[in-house]
Amino acid sequence: MRLEMRLLTLGVLLILCLGLRAQEVELPKREFRGVWIATVANIDWPTKGVWDAEKQKKDLIAILDQHQRQGLNAVMFQIRPAADALYANSNEPWSQWLTGEQGKGPNEFYDPLKFAIEECHKRGMELHAWFNPYRATFDAVSSIHSSHITKQKPEWFFSYGGKKLFDPGIPEVRAYITQVILNVVKNYDIDGVHFDDYFYPYGIKGQIINDAESFRNYNDQNFSSIADWRRDNVDKLIKMVSDSIKHYKKYVKFGISPFGIWQNKRQSAEGSETNGGDSYHGLYADSRKWVKEGWVDYINPQIYWSFESVPAPYAKLVDWWSENSYGRHLYIGHGAYRINDPKDFAWRNPKQIPNQIIYNRQNPRVQGSIYFSSKSLTTNRLGVSDSLINNYYKYPSLPPVMLWVDSVAPYNPQNVLAIQMNKHVVLSWKQPLEAKDQEATYGYVVYRFENGEEVNTEKATAIKNVYYGDVTSWEDKDVEAGKNYNYVVNAIDRMKNESEYSIPVSITVQDNNSIGSL
């Protein structure tokens, strides 16, 4: 297997050297294309100082519109940066990064999470609710609201590096965090639950984790090593959250974005050929185990290094994770924020991210990408947005299916009609019956074929619209008079299983406002 992977690596590097462009190969119809929208410290949204609710909504719409143009199909939306909330249905206080003051709601009430979900689904984008499970404070403790959990349960926390963090070793902490997440799972139409790389804190010289008392009180399995006990604490939370999500809504995906290195080969024979920090020892996060045990639906390692990096080469880490994904989805985390880094020549190459996309696509065990973060794409650093729009994500893509969750496809839409209204074509159809597993249709994909072109719904180039919701019509504004178009509509379910296509409907666009022939 490793020999095969080395040969694949050599072949892909040859492709990169030859400068093969995306349009020279068929673009994938199934690919996860995500982006993190970070709210902590107002990194991406809302803009610091912009506390007006209507302006915040307009700004978020503009961000989502741009990501839709870039071909993205998923958003990791940060809703709990520090035991606070950017959503209304919460027992934790409103986030300071929403209104400038923790515990203070929007000046004109709205629910940012509900709003973001609706706007994402209109655009055929999944929304994964991004939680920071353990971080409780981020900056000055004096700004913490009286209802904050650090005020209510101070014994649940330790201080490290000027921040307060939940003590993962306390069973009540794990139960509390799980209930916070379940509250969102039960009350919001999210597509996924997402954790990032923050578990036990990144090491700071001169700082110690003050959890010796918890180790004495809660070491039920008699670990001799506090490091093993800490890893087990994190494992217990991951499994508890996973089991709880699937109990209530099996279709809600659970994914984690760990630090890009699990262990280096010098630390473990099963580690990667790297020489950097790691999640296993550094953060007490056994990220490979979570995939191996099937506790997560996808793993999203943060491989924020270049191909040229000496301690952590991009290609070696992608290869390692692809050999350790155990049948779960692997989405690579890209460090888009590093583009044009004046301290790193490799990131001043505008082809760094495009070449990473090409490399991923040559590996069948890599199903997609997630970019940190939104602002790095919307500001079009070194033309990265242009590259996505005009080349690598030129056509829409559906998220890959997760057959271990659901393999039953919906029935196809019925009674598809096409009429011309003014200079546009309007499609309508009848919602199909529930699928064999009693699951209702969740959305639709519209395909268009021109002038006798064969109907082939495996072609990404034919996708004209993806929508999550129950609207059973769509208007095609991108048509030309005199051309004949063939349309089919497919139904999709929550896990993006796709129906067989509908009976095709044909229409020739007229120069006037007359109704086209069916």
Side-chain angles (χ1 to χ4, degrees):
M1 186 66 69
R2 293 187 183 277
L3 176 60
E4 292 174 359
M5 190 59 66
R6 288 192 181 98
L7 291 173
L8 174 63
T9 300
L10 289 172
V12 176
L13 290 175
L14 178 60
I15 288 172
L16 299 182
C17 290
L18 293 173
L20 183 65
R21 296 180 301 168
Q23 58 260 42
E24 294 171 342
V25 297
E26 186 173 346
L27 297 181
K29 175 188 164 178
R30 294 276 183 176
E31 186 174 55
F32 196 90
R33 303 171 179 172
V35 63
W36 282 282
I37 295 183
T39 58
V40 64
N42 302 110
I43 291 174
D44 293 312
W45 179 89
T47 302
K48 186 175 182 179
V50 177
W51 311 131
D52 178 72
E54 285 304 312
K55 181 65 167 63
Q56 288 180 353
K57 288 192 280 188
K58 288 179 181 178
D59 288 348
L60 185 57
I61 285 172
I63 290 170
L64 296 178
D65 281 344
Q66 189 155 357
H67 289 324
Q68 184 185 28
R69 287 192 295 272
Q70 291 164 343
L72 304 185
N73 59 24
V75 165
M76 290 32 217
F77 188 62
Q78 191 175 31
I79 65 167
R80 185 182 185 260
D84 51 3
L86 281 95
Y87 56 101
N89 196 336
S90 174
N91 293 321
E92 295 182 313
W94 284 104
S95 175
Q96 71 184 75
W97 294 296
L98 182 68
T99 62
E101 179 183 338
Q102 191 175 83
K104 179 183 178 181
N107 65 325
E108 294 180 14
F109 178 81
Y110 82 111
D111 188 329
L113 176 56
K114 185 174 184 292
F115 179 77
I117 291 169
E118 291 171 351
E119 294 300 323
C120 282
H121 287 178
K122 288 178 187 177
R123 292 162 175 79
M125 303 166 80
E126 292 188 347
L127 186 141
H128 294 227
W130 168 14
F131 296 83
N132 292 86
Y134 293 131
R135 185 169 62 207
T137 66
F138 188 80
D139 46 22
V141 177
S142 60
S143 64
I144 302 302
H145 192 263
S146 60
S147 66
H148 195 264
I149 191 66
T150 56
K151 302 284 190 180
Q152 303 299 314
K153 294 283 186 179
E155 68 276 13
W156 283 2
F157 302 89
F158 58 76
S159 295
Y160 191 93
K163 299 177 174 64
K164 287 193 175 183
L165 295 98
F166 284 91
D167 185 340
I170 300 175
E172 290 84 1
V173 163
R174 294 193 290 271
Y176 174 82
I177 294 170
T178 301
Q179 287 305 313
V180 168
I181 294 165
L182 278 184
N183 174 54
V184 173
V185 170
K186 292 176 183 178
N187 291 294
Y188 291 89
D189 189 23
I190 60 173
D191 299 285
V193 167
H194 184 84
F195 288 176
D196 59 22
D197 55 315
Y198 287 99
F199 295 99
Y200 279 87
Y202 282 88
I204 299 174
K205 188 175 181 180
Q207 297 276 309
I208 61 168
I209 298 174
N210 188 15
D211 61 351
E213 183 177 351
S214 298
F215 183 49
R216 289 192 299 270
N217 293 339
Y218 303 111
N219 186 11
D220 298 337
Q221 295 174 253
N222 297 315
F223 286 100
S224 58
S225 161
I226 194 170
D228 290 338
W229 173 77
R230 287 171 178 168
R231 276 186 287 274
D232 185 65
N233 294 332
V234 178
D235 288 347
K236 284 175 178 174
L237 176 69
I238 301 304
K239 187 176 189 305
M240 182 183 291
V241 169
S242 177
D243 289 346
S244 300
I245 291 170
K246 299 304 179 181
H247 175 76
Y248 286 98
K249 290 182 179 179
K250 71 172 186 176
Y251 57 79
V252 171
K253 303 171 184 179
F254 181 36
I256 300 178
S257 180
F259 185 74
I261 299 172
W262 171 67
Q263 290 194 79
N264 300 281
K265 192 169 282 293
R266 62 181 165 77
Q267 298 166 308
S268 167
E270 296 180 312
S272 54
E273 295 179 18
T274 50
N275 188 27
D278 67 281
S279 65
Y280 186 90
H281 301 282
L283 304 173
Y284 307 99
D286 190 353
S287 48
R288 188 183 73 154
K289 180 178 180 179
W290 309 334
V291 191
K292 191 173 183 179
E293 295 293 335
W295 295 341
V296 294
D297 293 305
Y298 66 86
I299 196 77
N300 170 215
Q302 298 176 10
I303 307 181
Y304 292 169
W305 298 279
S306 66
F307 284 100
E308 297 81 2
S309 170
V310 174
Y314 180 84
K316 285 187 180 294
L317 280 165
V318 171
D319 293 352
W320 185 90
W321 278 103
S322 74
E323 293 176 353
N324 290 274
S325 55
Y326 297 97
R328 290 304 198 237
H329 283 183
L330 171 59
Y331 311 144
I332 303 302
H334 297 270
Y337 71 97
R338 299 196 65 186
I339 296 173
N340 209 22
D341 183 348
K343 298 179 181 178
D344 191 334
F345 178 79
W347 284 102
R348 282 180 274 159
N349 179 1
K351 293 183 179 179
Q352 184 66 232
I353 289 289
N355 284 345
Q356 291 183 4
I357 296 171
I358 293 172
Y359 192 83
N360 294 352
R361 284 177 174 169
Q362 304 307 310
N363 190 326
R365 296 196 191 101
V366 178
Q367 288 89 6
S369 300
I370 306 179
Y371 299 90
F372 190 84
S373 64
S374 173
K375 189 170 288 184
S376 302
L377 297 186
T378 57
T379 53
N380 197 24
R381 295 187 180 189
L382 291 185
V384 65
S385 177
D386 295 336
S387 293
L388 298 181
I389 293 170
N390 299 320
N391 197 344
Y392 301 95
Y393 294 169
K394 185 174 182 178
Y395 303 108
S397 183
L398 294 175
V401 296
M402 294 180 170
L403 299 179
W404 61 89
V405 179
D406 180 12
S407 60
V408 180
Y411 293 114
N412 60 342
Q414 301 295 310
N415 302 337
V416 179
L417 299 174
I419 63 171
Q420 182 174 337
M421 294 185 67
N422 297 320
K423 296 181 180 180
H424 304 156
V425 172
V426 176
L427 300 178
S428 64
W429 57 89
K430 185 178 179 182
Q431 182 170 326
L433 299 174
E434 289 184 345
K436 291 179 181 179
D437 58 357
Q438 284 75 57
E439 185 178 346
T441 296
Y442 186 60
Y444 300 96
V445 186
V446 178
Y447 298 84
R448 189 183 78 183
F449 305 90
E450 299 183 15
N451 296 325
E453 181 184 1
E454 180 185 2
V455 173
N456 179 2
T457 56
E458 291 306 307
K459 294 173 61 175
T461 55
I463 298 175
K464 299 304 293 181
N465 187 53
V466 180
Y467 177 85
Y468 303 150
D470 56 6
V471 174
T472 55
S473 64
W474 179 69
E475 184 176 4
D476 188 356
K477 299 179 180 179
D478 182 25
V479 295
E480 296 180 30
K483 278 194 174 183
N484 178 265
Y485 298 100
N486 246 3
Y487 294 92
V488 297
V489 182
N490 289 10
I492 49 177
D493 63 17
R494 290 269 184 176
M495 301 309 297
K496 313 308 178 292
N497 293 301
E498 196 173 14
S499 72
E500 295 182 357
Y501 59 78
S502 65
I503 296 174
V505 60
S506 178
I507 185 170
T508 299
V509 178
Q510 307 297 319
D511 286 323
N512 52 36
N513 295 337
S514 63
I515 297 177
S517 59
L518 299 183

